[in-house]
Amino acid sequence: MGYDVVVLDPDPEAPAAHFASRHLCAPFTDAVALNDLARSCSAVTTEFENAPASSLDILASEILVRPAAQAVAIAQNRIFEKTFFKERGIAVGDFAVARCHDSFERGLLQVGLPAIIKTARFGYDGKGQYRVDTLSQAMEILEREADMLPVVIEALLPLDLEISVILARSAKDELGFWPVAENQHRHGILDMTIAPARISEALAQQARDTAATIARQLDYVGVLAVEFFVSQGRLLVNEMAPRPHNSGHYTLDACITSQFEQQVRMLAGLPAGSTEQLRPAVMVNILGELWAQGTPPWSLLFAEPEVKLHLYGKQEPRPGRKMGHFTVLGSTVEQALCTAERLRRVFGIY
Ligand code: ADP
Ligand code: MG
């Protein structure tokens, strides 16, 4: 798009650094690096959820920052996020907040069992989460992981389905939605996204409306992802992400404008590109365990005319680490799903 990019990332092997003009390798809170970023850029965005909101605030005093620190601060803390939804009448599953031993026990009794305990900060891909079936099990976990407080305690919901809405909102309150995506998780990690979701138009509309309300209430500018549970026919918000989202990776290959391009457009104040989907798509995540026998046989994917492989350039393939994904395109969702299932068997992803 003609822009130069400067990346701030403390990881010396940051994948994004390979595509940037400069890599500032420093902590996200480093004053010198933040100053350098502010002086060398016209605008700043984040595609990592845990960039400290305080750093975004510092940058915002000098240059344009989108999304704003205050929206990111809410999204990066499960307590703020859940409370924000509840206070605005947005339907969420039963939950309690616990900051100490006593409120932990009270919260579990209030929410009921089985439950999922989630750390307020820095959880992702099911990390920082504990499923508990009994009170004694929960108290044992608290003994062992005393520093996990504060936490959100959620009722374990029976899930019919999980879906997500990814939208882009401009500074002028223009909203654009990609098709609602259907998400399947394994071990708390997104495994597969099916787009468009196999749901009724009424449910899709309800999900888009809810996501739009959230974006407006946050005065959010940029790409926002909202994850939903469909539980016993009810649509409940699970969480949001203030950035392009894994369940929107299919947009790279299947839509006129990808979520990543749109993020740049929103940041630069350009008009939004079309979010229209050109082909049904299924995205399959590739995790580190696939490297158990060395580099996986990518030629099997390249042999498929309607499959696109994306590797992120992460150095170390740890089990459970998202290393890349492939997207299967098809003339129908069923056809794409059928090819995706066949390739999953070939690669031993199950
Ligand atoms: P993360 O930040 O790791 O994505 P989530 O809260 O989205 O955290 O949880 C990851 C996955 O775990 C969800 O997508 C869902 O499959 C499952 N999960 C989380 N919370 C609940 C819940 N309250 N009831 C049932 N399943 C849940
Ligand atoms: Mg999630």
Side-chain angles (χ1 to χ4, degrees):
M1 296 174 77
Y3 297 111
D4 283 331
V5 176
V6 180
V7 168
L8 171 60
D9 191 324
D11 180 358
E13 288 167 351
H18 298 295
F19 303 91
S21 309
R22 282 175 67 212
H23 175 199
L24 305 174
C25 187
F28 292 119
T29 48
D30 187 276
V32 174
L34 290 173
N35 188 40
D36 190 346
L37 199 60
R39 277 187 293 109
S40 49
C41 298
S42 310
V44 167
T45 190
T46 162
E47 56 90 73
F48 167 62
E49 190 155 342
N50 290 316
S54 55
S55 297
L56 298 179
D57 245 343
I58 292 169
L59 290 168
S61 65
E62 311 253 351
I63 51 170
L64 189 67
V65 176
R66 289 173 172 167
Q70 138 273 346
V72 173
I74 294 171
Q76 68 188 193
N77 181 311
R78 282 192 201 276
I79 298 176
F80 298 169
E81 176 181 57
K82 280 262 184 327
T83 310
F84 173 88
F85 295 143
K86 200 171 171 185
E87 283 176 358
R88 282 156 184 82
I90 293 162
V92 293
D94 281 344
F95 74 94
V97 172
R99 299 178 192 277
C100 63
H101 187 280
D102 283 357
S103 61
F104 184 76
E105 194 164 357
R106 257 198 325 277
L108 280 160
L109 294 172
Q110 178 203 318
V111 163
L113 291 157
I116 299 187
I117 300 160
K118 300 181 182 179
T119 55
R121 296 255 2 229
F122 305 118
Y124 69 98
D125 290 348
K127 293 189 180 65
Q129 297 193 10
Y130 308 87
R131 189 204 145 135
V132 291
D133 294 296
T134 63
L135 192 59
S136 60
Q137 202 185 357
M139 299 318 285
E140 260 170 48
I141 289 171
L142 183 61
E143 294 281 298
R144 211 173 54 227
E145 320 263 343
D147 60 357
M148 76 175 173
L149 292 170
V151 295
V152 168
I153 303 166
E154 293 182 19
L156 182 75
L157 300 163
L159 301 183
D160 312 342
L161 194 69
E162 292 186 70
I163 58 176
S164 56
V165 172
I166 303 179
L167 61 77
R169 182 171 178 267
S170 75
K172 287 184 253 165
D173 191 33
E174 292 148 338
L175 279 169
F177 303 86
W178 282 272
V180 178
E182 177 181 339
N183 301 319
Q184 296 182 1
H185 292 78
R186 277 191 310 149
H187 314 301
I189 307 176
L190 181 65
D191 177 31
M192 196 153 80
T193 293
I194 300 164
R198 296 164 296 174
I199 56 172
S200 69
E201 179 46 34
L203 183 62
Q205 190 57 49
Q206 195 189 344
R208 281 192 296 268
D209 289 347
T210 305
T213 302
I214 292 169
R216 290 207 168 100
Q217 298 263 346
L218 281 172
D219 197 15
Y220 192 90
V221 180
V223 171
L224 176 73
V226 181
E227 297 178 16
F228 294 89
F229 296 137
V230 184
S231 178
Q232 298 173 313
R234 288 182 65 212
L235 184 69
L236 304 170
V237 172
N238 170 25
E239 60 168 352
M240 60 182 162
R243 51 172 167 78
H245 190 253
N246 193 174
S247 70
H249 286 1
Y250 80 90
T251 62
L252 280 166
D253 298 306
C255 296
I256 291 181
T257 310
S258 78
Q259 59 172 352
F260 300 101
E261 177 178 341
Q262 204 81 306
Q263 177 85 340
V264 175
R265 284 172 172 265
M266 294 301 102
L267 181 63
L270 298 175
S274 164
T275 52
E276 187 187 332
Q277 185 172 356
L278 300 170
R279 297 271 277 163
V282 173
M283 190 268 337
V284 179
N285 266 339
I286 299 170
L287 304 182
E289 42 268 46
L290 224 64
W291 273 254
Q293 266 87 49
T295 304
W298 302 132
S299 57
L300 299 175
L301 290 180
F302 292 132
E304 301 285 332
E306 293 200 283
V307 174
K308 301 291 168 185
L309 174 66
H310 296 268
L311 295 171
Y312 308 147
K314 295 181 182 175
Q315 294 303 311
E316 204 193 326
R318 291 189 295 272
R321 190 178 195 201
K322 289 172 176 169
M323 301 297 291
H325 69 271
F326 63 87
T327 305
V328 182
L329 302 166
S331 44
T332 62
V333 163
E334 290 67 32
Q335 194 212 330
L337 205 47
C338 188
T339 306
E341 294 293 0
R342 175 168 57 77
L343 290 169
R344 292 167 65 94
R345 284 194 295 276
V346 167
F347 279 85
I349 307 175
Y350 31 67

